[in-house]
Amino acid sequence: MTLSQQIDNRVVFICRDDESAWRPNGIQGAPIGSYTTSIDPITKKLRSERAQGNCLHSFSHRNDGRFIELSSEGRGVIAIDTIDPPQSTLAVVRLVTSGQDVDFHLVEGVNAEDLRAYNWSLEGKERFQMYRCPEPPPQWSSTAEEWRSSSTYQTYQQHFSQKLEDAFAAAIQALSIHISADAQNAFDDLIATACRDNPGWFWDIRKAAAVYALTGTFSKDALNRMVYLVQEGIDPESLSFKLTPQQTIKALFDHCKHAAGMLSNEEIWDTQTRCDLLSTSELMRVVQMKAKHKPFFYRWLWRMDGKPDPVLIENPDLYELFREEIISDRHKVMAAFGNNGALEVDYRDQVINSMMRDDGWILEETDRFEEEEQRRKRNNA
């Protein structure tokens, strides 16, 4: 069933330079193509087919010629891969939204390097979709009809158009700080030189990269440090091209992401040991998600002159994670925490104490740990 309603399709080319002279043309002079949209009668999902007709309706320049917005008319969606883009294109963002009777709305953005390989049809884009009529949340216990009558649902519907516009604007803002691959390479060379000449730079980048390699995110300390380095440590005149402060910060984080991918596991855990980047509980979550780090984590827990971290016999989750390894190193554990042939443990830790008894450990439960905690609290009061 072909859609009979108007589809709002807007495309923004984000450019590095002023492209006010640019006009939309097809590649090598061929007509600009489009996609017709329809609803699959079986799956009820939106599908699209390539068409020859040009549905381009209008275009305009803004932001000093660095943003170029195109829009379609009728039921067609602009086939972006048939357009000859501006020379300085950094990224492309598009919005596609249908009318009330079909709940299809998406916002997606692509960096310039990926434009030609990107799938610009509308199928398989569920991860980019937004819904005017969302399904009830998992915790919703009433009926679907009651969900649609709820104040939450009504409020969401009332503000949906603005949410869609906000998502479109946010995507444009996020990709407007992207820089070209050549510019990133030049920036990477600058940072690499700084790291060779300045140990402080080296360790700032190494620490941020190690945390990213372990967790896939940057710590708050790394975020603050990167902003400081951009503001105080990078001379804009040292680059042959201009970057905004936001572009410079993103370029520095992209450099750290690339550096993270180049680190070996040994380098990551050497940095963790030297700089104490993540806590034991944070490292446990890492190992639960990435099993390859398990042996490095266990080695890290013996970092104190070859003695085990007491947490190994205090935390039941950690003991369960390394049960075989701890039992194998029984003599070393006893040498560190044993007392007359028994392992001295906190009487309050009954869960792990029971686990260790099952494994044949001889335990001496004591209140010494509780007394030490109370003494520390009194001293800190």
Side-chain angles (χ1 to χ4, degrees):
M1 177 181 65
T2 302
L3 297 185
S4 59
Q5 61 184 316
Q6 180 77 29
I7 289 182
D8 182 5
N9 173 213
R10 281 176 281 163
V11 177
V12 172
F13 285 90
I14 302 168
C15 304
R16 180 183 61 254
D17 304 321
D18 183 351
E19 294 283 358
S20 298
W22 182 84
R23 298 292 182 271
N25 293 296
I27 296 175
Q28 297 180 347
I32 296 174
S34 63
Y35 286 97
T36 59
T37 54
S38 60
I39 300 296
D40 189 293
I42 298 176
T43 65
K44 306 301 181 184
K45 291 184 177 181
L46 197 74
R47 65 184 183 188
S48 58
E49 296 179 2
R50 192 61 166 273
Q52 296 298 319
N54 180 3
C55 63
L56 179 64
H57 175 60
S58 66
F59 76 96
S60 61
H61 300 85
R62 55 190 175 93
N63 197 38
D64 297 326
R66 290 181 171 84
F67 287 177
I68 302 172
E69 181 163 336
L70 288 65
S71 66
S72 67
E73 65 178 356
R75 295 184 298 273
V77 173
I78 300 168
I80 297 171
D81 54 329
T82 65
I83 295 177
D84 193 4
Q87 288 293 321
S88 66
T89 298
L90 293 173
V92 177
V93 181
R94 80 167 172 182
L95 175 149
V96 180
T97 176
S98 60
Q100 293 283 352
D101 56 335
V102 176
D103 197 5
F104 184 89
H105 321 272
L106 70 82
V107 173
E108 58 185 340
V110 184
N111 293 332
E113 301 91 90
D114 302 321
L115 284 183
R116 293 303 174 210
Y118 193 73
N119 170 25
W120 288 106
S121 74
L122 302 179
E123 299 173 40
K125 298 296 177 72
E126 285 78 11
R127 65 194 177 109
F128 300 113
Q129 280 187 245
M130 299 175 65
Y131 296 93
R132 186 184 298 275
C133 305
E135 294 295 323
Q139 65 271 23
W140 185 260
S141 57
S142 301
T143 65
E145 184 177 348
E146 289 175 315
W147 161 246
R148 288 189 291 272
S149 301
S150 68
S151 58
T152 302
Y153 182 87
Q154 297 294 332
T155 302
Y156 180 90
Q157 285 228 316
Q158 290 171 7
H159 299 289
F160 178 77
S161 296
Q162 187 59 52
K163 288 179 183 290
L164 195 60
E165 290 294 334
D166 290 346
F168 189 42
I172 293 171
Q173 173 61 28
L175 286 170
S176 66
I177 61 175
H178 176 67
I179 64 175
S180 69
D182 288 343
Q184 183 69 51
N185 289 336
F187 184 86
D188 290 342
D189 290 342
L190 174 69
I191 301 303
T193 300
C195 289
R196 284 194 299 269
D197 298 340
N198 187 324
W201 264 95
F202 173 84
W203 283 109
D204 281 333
I205 299 299
R206 173 59 65 87
K207 288 188 289 186
V211 171
Y212 189 84
L214 287 169
T215 66
T217 60
F218 291 106
S219 67
K220 184 177 180 180
D221 287 344
L223 293 171
N224 293 335
R225 189 61 184 166
M226 293 301 107
V227 172
Y228 172 81
L229 291 175
V230 167
Q231 292 174 339
E232 305 294 336
I234 296 179
D235 178 10
E237 300 301 321
S238 59
L239 291 167
S240 60
F241 48 88
K242 292 182 178 180
L243 294 180
T244 66
Q246 293 84 1
Q247 287 176 318
T248 309
I249 291 172
K250 181 179 183 297
L252 189 54
F253 279 117
D254 284 346
H255 177 86
C256 290
K257 290 178 183 179
H258 178 72
M262 301 299 291
L263 292 178
S264 66
N265 289 330
E266 288 77 8
E267 289 171 324
I268 293 169
W269 283 91
D270 175 69
T271 308
Q272 165 65 25
T273 302
R274 286 170 178 261
C275 306
D276 201 25
L277 302 172
L278 300 177
S279 67
T280 300
S281 58
E282 289 172 325
L283 291 171
M284 279 187 64
R285 289 194 291 271
V286 169
V287 170
Q288 288 165 351
M289 298 296 293
K290 302 176 181 179
K292 67 178 181 178
H293 289 296
K294 183 179 177 182
F296 296 95
F297 183 27
Y298 188 67
R299 190 186 308 165
W300 179 80
L301 289 165
W302 290 77
R303 67 196 179 281
M304 296 178 287
D305 298 323
K307 296 181 180 179
D309 191 317
V311 74
L312 276 171
I313 60 169
E314 296 172 349
N315 185 310
D317 294 329
L318 199 60
Y319 182 80
E320 180 64 31
L321 181 65
F322 290 115
R323 203 165 194 159
E324 293 181 5
E325 290 87 346
I326 295 171
I327 292 172
S328 178
D329 289 326
R330 181 188 296 264
H331 64 290
K332 295 181 182 178
V333 175
M334 288 298 300
F337 306 120
N339 183 22
N340 295 325
L343 199 63
E344 195 174 29
V345 296
D346 193 328
Y347 80 96
R348 296 169 298 177
D349 297 336
Q350 287 302 310
V351 174
I352 189 171
N353 293 350
S354 177
M355 295 168 66
M356 297 186 76
R357 283 196 189 91
D358 290 343
D359 290 336
W361 296 86
I362 299 174
L363 305 181
E364 179 185 345
E365 294 187 345
T366 175
D367 60 1
R368 177 174 64 85
F369 302 98
E370 182 180 24
E371 292 175 354
E372 290 177 355
E373 284 181 17
Q374 293 174 349
R375 188 180 307 115
R376 283 196 297 270
K377 290 179 180 177
R378 287 195 298 269
N379 294 336
N380 294 331

